[in-house]
Amino acid sequence: MGDWVFVCATSQLLPGETVVAWDGDTPILVVNYDGDFYAMEDKCSHEDFELSAGHFDGDEATIECALHGAKFDVRDGRPLCAPAYEPVTKFPVKVDDTGVWTRDDRD
């Protein structure tokens, strides 16, 4: 399992905002949904396209892929509509006094 990657200070990622961090070659989309932080691979499971280019709905906890309109729940990565049927890979998040951290925990 890899080391934790610093994303940003908590004050730099307000509710409704997103940021992309990198763990090696893996882009990780980190979102602040109502004060809780979630992380997922910045790649639509339907087609290799960055989710960060789409719209994050901070009221509904969803991200929509800009390419074909697939929506995902940012809390668990599950797809909410076609054309995506597979979930997006989720990653752990930890928050401490220094800020928000994540990592690609796949072996």
Side-chain angles (χ1 to χ4, degrees), residues 17-85:
E17 294 183 341
T18 67
V19 66
V20 176
W22 289 83
D23 187 349
D25 294 334
T26 305
I28 301 175
L29 176 64
V30 181
V31 302
N32 181 335
Y33 169 62
D34 200 26
D36 292 319
F37 299 93
Y38 299 92
M40 64 185 66
E41 190 168 12
D42 188 20
K43 183 170 80 171
C44 180
S45 64
H46 165 250
E47 193 162 320
D48 188 6
F49 193 79
E50 60 273 356
L51 288 174
S52 58
H55 173 70
F56 170 53
D57 186 330
D59 293 326
E60 298 293 322
T62 61
I63 186 112
E64 181 176 353
C65 180
L67 191 60
H68 293 121
K71 283 188 181 182
F72 301 88
D73 188 310
V74 298
R75 296 167 291 192
D76 58 15
R78 67 188 159 97
L80 300 173
C81 66
Y85 298 99

Side-chain angles (χ1 to χ4, degrees), residues 1 13 24 38 54 56 60 70 77 91 105-106:
M1 201 170 303
L13 188 58
Y38 299 92
F56 170 53
E60 298 293 322
F91 297 120
D105 62 350
R106 297 176 289 187

